[in-house]
Amino acid sequence: MPERRVQVPEPPSPNPLPPPAQTSVRGRGLLPPERIARLTGYGFTAAADGYLYRPTSVDEIREVLALARECGRKVTLRGAGRSYGDANVGAECVVIDVSRFRQILSWDPATGEIDCESGVTIEDLWRHVLEDGYWPPVVSGTMFPTLAGALGMNIHGKNNFCAGTLGEHVLEMDVVLANGELITLAPRSELFFAVISGFGSLGVITRVKMKMKKVHSGDLRVLALAPASWDEEFSIFEEFEHQSDYMVTWIDCFGRGKHAGRGAFHVAWYDSGGPTGFDATLRPEHQDLPDTIMGVVPKSMVWRVLKMFCNRTGMHLMNWAKYKAGRVLGNGKNHLQSLVAFSFLLDYVPNWRNAYLPGGFIQYQSFVPKEKAREVFAKQVELQQKAHLESYLAVMKRHRPDKFLFSHAVDGYSLALDFKVTRRNRARLTKLCHDMNDLVLAAGGRFYFAKDSTLRPSDVRAYMGDEALAKYRAIKQSLDPDGLFTSDLMRRLEL
Ligand SMILES: Cc1cc2nc3c(=O)[nH]c(=O)nc-3n(C[C@H](O)[C@H](O)[C@H](O)COP(=O)(O)OP(=O)(O)OC[C@H]3O[C@@H](n4cnc5c(N)ncnc54)[C@H](O)[C@@H]3O)c2cc1C
């Protein structure tokens, strides 16, 4: 296949987006125009018009699939739209959004097994099980993703090094294939490991049965540290790797020389709870995030303040201030924090992504084997500094490999980097990402489609390998021979 160079696309207008006056959707005109909607990836940089359907039953999904075929349209699957790039949008496609598939079908506090429709969100899950002393085994940095979308990407959490990915906790799931057939998959089948991580390319996940994690308190014990360099970051990861439940560190990408790699590290453990019976921290009221920051600033205002700082100088200052505050106030201190506050820090600030408008932002996350991670991440940050394109928010985690076909994890570390996109920096940013890719590929690293906007088909071939891609193509051919399921990500990466 010839290589197709991909640029970070033109930014769309701000969200919520009004229906476009002149739609780009063309075709046989059989689908109702009132279904046309402009959908964006979470970073605003990918946007496409499609025909939006929100089915509420398996039969309705079958009807939508049949309708798409009849009209000669492809189908894109969408959950809560929290993937940053173009995985959940499909230009001119019929879009099946599963967010109305939201019933919890059964819950057994004795075993921790829950059976639900796939549009159930991570928030729905924890609200349902926490008072019984359970928590989802793996959560992302936001509680809004659906289980369908979370499994489509096979999300990881800050506990990936010890708990694996979400897919590792699934006992069974139902999937509607392109021909309308409903199949049930369990971890013993090869298809299970392809559909989970398969970015909506193989079938519609409609029901998920999984096991929740037993907890005795709604709080975590958190240790805050302020590493001053890359060496300190990595030695903390190594120290706590076998004796913690969660680890995450934020990195200041403006730190240079001996300050390179400095950041704010958090190690956390499940708390053992009170000495007797029910622990009040398990109540949802204890978890709910406050409406104000520090008791004064309404949360809804915060993104406007952030927007004022959302430039190179402002973010240099904010990153420095965050590091200094951690160093002076929190270094080495322990505190209790609710599971929700620790896990979903970004959900504290509603619409924080608006701070990146009008151009939006991309996230770039690479996963590098442990032996090479320090070298690769340090070089990635040097490249950013050389290009004057430092990431405004950078987060590092520890990972372990898994058996899923499109696994992104390795026995090593990931660095997730948020970059503001503007008209002026788009081409340079694309080049920066490609240069960073080369470092990752040379080190045997991998990438994650939930976060991607700039990979090329050749990058995917390089890290996936011919054998895994051939396996994917064979499965795709058998489950979806007409290539009904697609997305802008799949088109871009020729998958
Ligand atoms: C603030 C923030 C923090 C995040 N933190 C993390 C993190 O810590 N770890 C992590 O791993 N990810 C993280 N993410 C990414 C996010 O968890 C994933 O992108 C997740 O897939 C989003 O789920 P969704 O329901 O929004 O799905 P979408 O983004 O709408 O879709 C995701 C994929 O699933 C496919 N899909 C949708 N529905 C179905 C279906 N019914 N059957 C099969 N496939 C389907 C789609 O086609 C698409 O490819 C974060 C995202 C944000 C915005």
Side-chain angles (χ1 to χ4, degrees):
M1 288 279 187
E3 182 184 293
R4 198 150 49 96
R5 293 234 158 219
V6 176
Q7 297 255 314
V8 177
E10 285 287 317
S13 49
N15 210 33
L17 292 152
Q22 281 206 316
T23 174
S24 65
V25 173
R26 301 180 303 274
R28 299 182 201 169
L30 290 173
L31 288 166
E34 61 271 20
R35 289 282 175 186
I36 295 169
R38 172 154 292 190
L39 300 169
T40 72
Y42 193 71
F44 294 124
T45 53
D49 294 340
Y51 289 93
L52 181 60
Y53 285 81
R54 294 192 178 99
T56 55
S57 68
V58 167
D59 282 343
E60 277 180 34
I61 289 180
R62 290 185 174 123
E63 281 167 26
V64 179
L65 293 176
L67 187 67
R69 276 185 191 287
E70 204 182 305
C71 301
R73 299 271 171 200
K74 301 284 179 193
V75 174
T76 298
L77 304 182
R78 185 171 169 99
R82 253 61 189 184
S83 294
Y84 285 77
D86 49 4
N88 49 31
V89 298
E92 309 206 3
C93 292
V94 166
V95 178
I96 296 184
D97 170 336
V98 292
S99 58
R100 289 193 190 154
F101 243 76
R102 208 165 164 177
Q103 280 196 54
I104 293 186
L105 304 168
S106 73
W107 162 237
D108 183 354
T111 60
E113 288 180 13
I114 193 160
D115 204 344
C116 19
E117 292 182 335
S118 66
V120 161
T121 64
I122 294 171
E123 178 178 15
D124 296 336
L125 269 190
W126 74 254
R127 284 194 186 278
H128 200 86
V129 303
L130 188 60
E131 273 172 308
D132 292 326
Y134 287 89
W135 178 252
V138 170
V139 298
S140 49
T142 170
M143 60 172 123
F144 303 121
T146 61
L147 285 180
L151 291 172
M153 289 303 180
N154 199 16
I155 62 164
H156 61 262
K158 300 174 183 78
N159 55 357
N160 187 244
F161 61 98
C162 57
T165 57
L166 187 65
E168 290 174 58
H169 302 270
V170 173
L171 303 169
E172 159 184 301
M173 63 182 182
D174 286 349
V175 181
V176 177
L177 301 180
N179 64 6
E181 187 190 345
L182 181 76
I183 57 170
T184 300
L185 296 176
R188 53 189 176 274
S189 94
E190 189 183 50
L191 289 184
F192 177 90
F193 290 94
V195 173
I196 294 180
S197 82
F199 44 88
S201 66
L202 300 174
V204 193
I205 301 169
T206 54
R207 182 184 67 88
V208 181
K209 185 173 179 188
M210 60 193 302
K211 189 143 171 103
M212 297 289 107
K213 159 92 186 152
K214 184 78 194 150
V215 293
H216 301 282
S217 158
D219 282 341
L220 292 170
R221 279 185 299 118
V222 181
L223 168 66
L225 297 162
S229 64
W230 286 114
D231 283 343
E232 287 188 25
E233 297 279 4
F234 281 91
S235 67
I236 298 171
F237 272 118
E238 281 162 21
E239 182 182 347
F240 291 101
E241 192 180 319
H242 300 294
Q243 41 159 332
S244 64
D245 294 314
Y246 294 91
M247 291 194 286
V248 64
T249 180
W250 152 86
I251 305 275
D252 173 9
C253 287
F254 292 89
R256 288 170 178 268
K258 65 180 178 129
H259 302 299
R262 67 185 178 186
F265 206 115
H266 290 101
V267 190
W269 296 263
Y270 292 108
D271 191 41
S272 49
T276 53
F278 182 77
D279 192 301
T281 59
L282 293 170
R283 292 203 192 287
E285 304 84 89
H286 178 77
Q287 302 292 327
D288 281 331
L289 299 172
D291 289 335
T292 53
I293 305 264
M294 288 190 270
V296 233
V297 188
K299 280 197 311 185
S300 53
M301 300 283 294
V302 174
W303 74 264
R304 293 177 198 281
V305 179
L306 272 182
K307 191 165 171 59
M308 291 191 283
F309 286 89
C310 201
N311 53 62
R312 198 162 167 248
T313 315
M315 282 297 159
H316 196 154
L317 186 70
M318 275 187 81
N319 274 269
W320 174 85
K322 186 168 156 59
Y323 170 70
K324 283 291 171 195
R327 192 92 190 156
V328 175
L329 303 173
N331 201 5
K333 295 210 175 110
N334 281 286
H335 60 281
L336 285 176
Q337 194 172 17
S338 75
L339 281 157
V340 164
F342 179 84
S343 308
F344 311 123
L345 192 67
L346 283 167
D347 292 345
Y348 257 105
V349 184
N351 299 320
W352 59 268
R353 63 182 179 154
N354 287 357
Y356 286 101
L357 288 172
F361 70 110
I362 59 168
Q363 187 168 101
Y364 176 100
Q365 186 172 19
S366 56
F367 298 73
V368 180
K370 57 181 189 291
E371 301 76 18
K372 298 275 185 175
R374 191 202 175 290
E375 184 191 335
V376 170
F377 294 160
K379 279 196 187 148
Q380 285 185 342
V381 172
E382 280 166 29
L383 285 177
Q384 293 166 40
Q385 293 177 349
K386 219 165 135 192
H388 293 190
L389 287 170
E390 294 88 348
S391 164
Y392 291 174
L393 177 67
V395 174
M396 196 168 130
K397 293 181 205 147
R398 179 76 170 94
H399 298 272
R400 75 176 194 198
D402 56 68
K403 292 198 292 183
F404 293 88
L405 185 55
F406 280 89
S407 168
H408 51 271
V410 296
D411 181 7
Y413 299 86
S414 74
L415 182 63
L417 304 160
D418 286 5
F419 293 106
K420 182 175 178 172
V421 179
T422 66
R423 271 179 205 286
R424 285 184 57 207
N425 79 5
R426 189 168 297 115
R428 284 186 301 122
L429 184 53
T430 305
K431 173 160 186 339
L432 171 69
C433 293
H434 293 168
D435 290 347
M436 293 196 296
N437 289 352
D438 293 342
L439 298 171
V440 175
L441 292 173
R446 302 178 78 86
F447 300 94
Y448 185 20
F449 293 154
K451 312 293 183 78
D452 174 54
S453 294
T454 58
L455 284 175
R456 297 156 294 187
S458 58
D459 299 319
V460 177
R461 280 197 299 274
Y463 82 83
M464 283 290 298
D466 291 339
E467 197 184 319
L469 282 178
K471 191 167 168 187
Y472 165 70
R473 291 193 203 290
I475 295 174
K476 176 83 177 160
Q477 178 62 27
S478 75
L479 297 189
D480 180 17
D482 303 326
L484 187 67
F485 296 115
T486 192
S487 64
D488 284 359
L489 175 127
M490 289 173 65
R491 289 164 169 160
R492 170 164 63 87
L493 298 178
E494 297 169 3
L495 287 168

